[in-house]
Amino acid sequence: MSTHAVDIHAHDDGHGHHQKETFITKYIFSQDHKMIAKQYLITGTLMGIIGVMMSLMFRIQIAWPEEPNILFEALLGKWAPGGVMDADMYLALVTIHGTIMVFFVLTAGLSGTFSNLLIPYQIGARDMASGFINMLSYWIFFVSCIIMMGSLFLEAGPAAAGWTIYPPLSALPMAQPGSGWGMTLWLISMALFIAQSLLGSLNYIVTVINMRTKGMSMTRLPLTVWAFFVTAIIGVVSFPVLLSAALLLIMDRSFGTSFFLSDIFIQGEVLHYQGGSPVLFEHLFWFLGHPEVYIVILPAMGLVSEILATNSRKPIFGYRAMVASILAIAFLSTIVWGHHMFVSGMNPFLGSVFTFTTLLIAIPSAVKAFNWITTIWKGNIQMNPAMLFAIGFVSTFITGGLTGIIVGDSALDINVHDTYFVIAHFHLVMGISAIYGMFAGIYHWYPKMFGRMMNKNLGYIHFWITAISAYGVFFPMHFIGMAGLPRRYYTNSAFPLFDDLTDVNIVITVFALIGGAIQLVYLYNFFVSIFYGKKATQNPWRSTTLEWTTPVEHIHGNWPGEIPHVYRWSYDYSKPGHDDDFVPQNVPLKEGEEEMQH
């Protein structure tokens, strides 16, 4: 049976199915990639709201320690006696904030939303390879979110070992209040999260390899699809390692093994654990933890490449170099994890090896940055909110990346390790950059998701205040980090050395509160536009990729009738000899016209 026959067959099935859709099969247990993308996006948005609220609470605590706060008393109850936050609760908030943002917002919000939405659309497929597995992966993700949130309501409190959950805090249930049931629920939630990630990733890989439409060779794929494809491969390689670490940790906690524990004293009493090593856990955790940074940032890079080319009205500069740099980043990301462990007593020679591989990854990252800048250069730039966030992404990626040279060098890192300098570095390069990529993608593909446009002026306000606040929060952190202020301390009032830094912490917190508040404008714009936004035209950004050839109203199977064939690469903007400044991929080459070399 030819693939074309399979497509038509799937399409017919789809139409048969389309007539009998109920509310539950359409909106809840949907197997349609477009609906699953929306489910991931809205769930990720809700988790993001919780994660940001947590960060605002612990920022208020650092800026004004020991001061009673009505908000704390109302939200934290017994964890804030008299309105003053408990030290254990502070660490728990930091832990859950980090977990939510890294895994549930950035990984699921970017990969889950945009891989689902764009892979079938941009390669010319009716849907994902397996709609059922796609639906299953979303619902496992949803259950994982519920369990993580449920841990907030436990008597002893949620997990409180930092989002990296290093033993012994995470391995000994009696270590502190958050080491009990809260930690167990954290581990169960993460095991489910990893399962859904693997299911989703396998689905994305199979779809890209097997379901491309006629003429869609790998070198004609948009950079978005390349980014999602390679991200899925990194996920399949590295996520199982974290699963093994979580399972060994569960055995240490509940079954008396000692993989990660050795020679531990509690109140003068020797525990019976021997022979394990907490450093083994660090290796297992960071073998996922560092590729995770690229699992988060690569999809954002793909989205930004697409948006910059579309809104500069120019072909992307150096397409093949961009694909090669995505592959190089994927490979190098799996051999740099040791730079998180320079202060763990690592052999200095091994430290120098990890320093070398870490600095090496700057090369493909720089290729991408220069190519983005060259794409914009002399372009006919359309400054819509998506374009602003894409340019913001390039800015924060470069500024955050520069400090990576310091924390990636073993000799320099020892001075700033576990200070606010590291927080500033990874929040800019991974947190803020990835969130900018996500916002850019939402503003750009919103008409494709919901058939309506978001309000442009609210988008401008959202971008500018977010951008100023983000730098206002993370730029000063570099300086208090270099002054030696340690991370995860709920108050620094015990150290007269840090008294001079109190005012800087207040400034950071004020910017954080402004940045948090302006997200309400975005949320208003997002949810109100679903119902009242201006109706979208079929191709509002005059873009070349295949998703804009589908009708505005979603139909099961994406295209009515036959799937379009592809005749050219994804970035035919401003091509001489054509009336429009863009030529969609499904337009055949004119006589004598050559496909653009890339």
Side-chain angles (χ1 to χ4, degrees), residues 524-555:
Y524 171 83
N525 195 359
F526 181 89
F527 286 108
V528 170
S529 299
I530 293 176
F531 304 103
Y532 304 109
K534 200 175 91 195
K535 284 229 162 77
T537 53
Q538 185 169 3
N539 190 353
W541 313 121
R542 298 157 58 77
S543 201
T544 56
T545 40
L546 289 181
E547 75 270 29
W548 304 105
T549 62
T550 60
V552 179
E553 289 77 29
H554 287 174
I555 58 165

Coordinates of all heavy atoms in Angstrom, one line a residue, residues 524-555:
Y524 N -4.6 37.9 29.8 CA -5.9 38.6 29.3 C -6.0 38.5 27.8 O -7.0 38.1 27.2 CB -6.0 40.0 29.8 CG -7.1 40.8 29.2 CD1 -8.4 40.7 29.8 CD2 -6.9 41.6 28.1 CE1 -9.4 41.4 29.2 CE2 -7.9 42.3 27.6 CZ -9.2 42.2 28.1 OH -10.3 42.9 27.5
N525 N -4.9 38.9 27.2 CA -4.8 38.9 25.7 C -5.0 37.5 25.1 O -5.8 37.3 24.2 CB -3.4 39.5 25.3 CG -3.4 39.9 23.8 OD1 -4.3 39.7 23.1 ND2 -2.2 40.3 23.4
F526 N -4.4 36.5 25.8 CA -4.4 35.2 25.3 C -5.8 34.6 25.4 O -6.4 34.1 24.4 CB -3.5 34.3 26.1 CG -3.4 32.8 25.7 CD1 -2.5 32.4 24.7 CD2 -4.3 31.9 26.2 CE1 -2.5 31.1 24.3 CE2 -4.2 30.6 25.8 CZ -3.3 30.2 24.8
F527 N -6.4 34.7 26.6 CA -7.7 34.0 26.8 C -8.9 34.8 26.1 O -9.8 34.2 25.6 CB -8.0 33.7 28.3 CG -7.1 32.6 28.8 CD1 -6.0 32.9 29.6 CD2 -7.4 31.3 28.4 CE1 -5.2 31.8 30.1 CE2 -6.6 30.3 28.9 CZ -5.5 30.5 29.7
V528 N -8.8 36.1 26.2 CA -9.9 36.9 25.6 C -9.9 36.8 24.0 O -11.0 36.7 23.4 CB -9.9 38.4 26.0 CG1 -10.8 39.3 25.2 CG2 -10.2 38.5 27.5
S529 N -8.7 36.7 23.5 CA -8.6 36.7 22.0 C -9.2 35.4 21.4 O -9.6 35.3 20.3 CB -7.1 36.8 21.5 OG -6.6 38.1 21.9
I530 N -9.2 34.3 22.2 CA -9.7 33.0 21.8 C -11.2 33.2 21.3 O -11.6 32.7 20.3 CB -9.6 31.9 22.9 CG1 -8.2 31.6 23.2 CG2 -10.4 30.7 22.5 CD1 -8.0 30.6 24.3
F531 N -11.9 34.1 22.1 CA -13.3 34.3 21.8 C -13.6 35.6 21.0 O -14.5 35.6 20.2 CB -14.1 34.3 23.1 CG -13.9 33.1 23.9 CD1 -13.1 33.1 25.0 CD2 -14.5 31.9 23.6 CE1 -12.8 31.9 25.8 CE2 -14.2 30.7 24.3 CZ -13.4 30.7 25.4
Y532 N -12.8 36.6 21.3 CA -13.2 37.9 20.8 C -12.1 38.5 19.8 O -12.2 39.7 19.4 CB -13.5 38.9 21.9 CG -14.6 38.5 22.8 CD1 -14.2 38.0 24.1 CD2 -15.9 38.4 22.4 CE1 -15.2 37.6 25.0 CE2 -16.9 37.9 23.3 CZ -16.5 37.5 24.6 OH -17.5 37.0 25.4
G533 N -11.0 37.8 19.6 CA -10.0 38.3 18.8 C -10.4 38.5 17.3 O -11.4 38.0 16.9
K534 N -9.7 39.4 16.6 CA -10.0 39.6 15.2 C -9.9 38.2 14.4 O -8.9 37.5 14.6 CB -9.1 40.6 14.6 CG -9.6 41.3 13.3 CD -8.6 42.4 12.9 CE -7.6 41.8 12.0 NZ -6.4 42.6 11.8
K535 N -10.8 37.9 13.5 CA -10.7 36.6 12.8 C -9.5 36.6 11.9 O -9.1 37.6 11.3 CB -12.0 36.5 11.9 CG -13.2 36.1 12.7 CD -13.9 34.8 12.1 CE -14.8 34.1 13.0 NZ -16.1 34.8 13.2
A536 N -8.8 35.5 11.9 CA -7.5 35.4 11.2 C -7.8 35.1 9.7 O -8.7 34.4 9.4 CB -6.6 34.3 11.8
T537 N -6.9 35.6 8.8 CA -7.0 35.2 7.4 C -6.1 33.9 7.3 O -5.5 33.5 8.3 CB -6.3 36.2 6.5 OG1 -5.0 36.5 7.0 CG2 -7.2 37.5 6.5
Q538 N -6.1 33.3 6.2 CA -5.5 31.9 6.1 C -4.0 32.1 6.3 O -3.3 31.2 6.9 CB -5.7 31.3 4.7 CG -5.1 29.9 4.6 CD -5.6 29.2 3.4 OE1 -6.3 29.7 2.6 NE2 -5.2 27.9 3.2
N539 N -3.3 33.1 5.8 CA -1.9 33.3 5.9 C -1.5 34.7 6.3 O -1.0 35.5 5.6 CB -1.2 32.9 4.5 CG 0.3 32.8 4.6 OD1 0.9 33.1 5.7 ND2 0.9 32.4 3.5
P540 N -1.8 35.0 7.6 CA -1.7 36.4 8.0 C -0.3 36.9 8.0 O -0.1 38.1 7.8 CB -2.2 36.4 9.5 CG -2.1 34.9 9.9 CD -2.2 34.1 8.7
W541 N 0.8 36.1 8.1 CA 2.1 36.6 8.1 C 2.8 36.5 6.7 O 4.0 36.7 6.6 CB 3.0 35.9 9.1 CG 2.4 35.7 10.5 CD1 2.1 34.5 11.1 CD2 1.9 36.7 11.4 NE1 1.5 34.8 12.3 CE2 1.3 36.1 12.5 CE3 1.9 38.1 11.3 CZ2 0.8 36.8 13.6 CZ3 1.3 38.9 12.3 CH2 0.8 38.2 13.5
R542 N 2.0 36.0 5.7 CA 2.5 35.8 4.4 C 3.8 34.9 4.4 O 4.9 35.3 4.1 CB 2.9 37.2 3.7 CG 1.6 38.0 3.5 CD 1.9 39.5 3.4 NE 2.8 39.8 2.3 CZ 2.5 39.9 1.1 NH1 1.2 39.7 0.7 NH2 3.3 40.2 0.1
S543 N 3.5 33.7 4.9 CA 4.6 32.8 5.2 C 4.7 31.7 4.2 O 3.7 31.4 3.5 CB 4.4 32.2 6.6 OG 5.5 31.7 7.2
T544 N 5.8 31.0 4.1 CA 6.0 30.0 3.0 C 5.7 28.6 3.4 O 5.6 27.7 2.5 CB 7.5 30.1 2.5 OG1 8.3 29.8 3.6 CG2 7.8 31.4 1.8
T545 N 5.7 28.3 4.7 CA 5.6 26.9 5.1 C 4.2 26.3 5.0 O 3.2 27.1 4.9 CB 6.1 26.7 6.5 OG1 5.6 27.8 7.3 CG2 7.6 26.7 6.6
L546 N 4.1 25.0 5.0 CA 2.8 24.3 4.6 C 1.7 24.5 5.6 O 0.5 24.4 5.2 CB 3.1 22.8 4.5 CG 3.9 22.3 3.4 CD1 4.0 20.8 3.4 CD2 3.3 22.7 2.0
E547 N 2.0 24.9 6.9 CA 0.8 25.0 7.8 C -0.1 26.1 7.4 O -1.3 26.1 7.7 CB 1.3 25.1 9.2 CG 1.8 26.5 9.6 CD 3.3 26.6 9.4 OE1 3.8 25.9 8.5 OE2 3.9 27.4 10.1
W548 N 0.4 27.1 6.6 CA -0.5 28.2 6.2 C -1.3 27.9 5.0 O -2.0 28.8 4.4 CB 0.4 29.5 6.0 CG 1.2 29.8 7.3 CD1 2.5 29.6 7.5 CD2 0.7 30.3 8.5 NE1 2.9 30.0 8.7 CE2 1.8 30.4 9.4 CE3 -0.6 30.7 9.0 CZ2 1.7 30.9 10.7 CZ3 -0.7 31.2 10.3 CH2 0.4 31.3 11.1
T549 N -1.1 26.7 4.4 CA -1.9 26.3 3.3 C -3.2 25.6 3.7 O -4.1 25.3 2.9 CB -1.2 25.4 2.3 OG1 -0.8 24.2 3.0 CG2 0.1 26.0 1.8
T550 N -3.3 25.3 5.0 CA -4.5 24.6 5.5 C -5.6 25.6 5.8 O -5.3 26.8 6.0 CB -4.2 23.9 6.8 OG1 -3.8 24.8 7.8 CG2 -3.2 22.8 6.7
P551 N -6.9 25.2 5.8 CA -8.0 26.2 6.0 C -7.9 26.7 7.5 O -7.3 26.1 8.4 CB -9.2 25.4 5.8 CG -8.8 24.0 5.7 CD -7.4 23.9 5.5
V552 N -8.5 27.9 7.7 CA -8.5 28.5 9.0 C -9.2 27.6 10.0 O -8.8 27.4 11.1 CB -9.0 30.0 9.0 CG1 -9.0 30.6 10.4 CG2 -8.3 30.8 8.0
E553 N -10.4 27.2 9.6 CA -11.2 26.3 10.4 C -10.5 24.9 10.5 O -10.1 24.4 9.5 CB -12.6 26.0 9.9 CG -13.5 27.2 10.0 CD -13.2 28.3 8.9 OE1 -12.8 27.9 7.9 OE2 -13.5 29.5 9.2
H554 N -10.3 24.4 11.7 CA -9.6 23.1 11.8 C -10.5 22.0 11.3 O -11.7 21.9 11.6 CB -9.3 22.8 13.3 CG -8.2 23.7 13.8 ND1 -7.9 23.7 15.2 CD2 -7.4 24.6 13.2 CE1 -6.9 24.6 15.3 NE2 -6.6 25.1 14.2
I555 N -9.9 21.2 10.5 CA -10.6 20.0 10.1 C -9.8 18.8 10.4 O -8.6 18.9 10.5 CB -10.9 20.0 8.5 CG1 -9.6 20.1 7.7 CG2 -11.9 21.1 8.2 CD1 -9.8 19.8 6.3

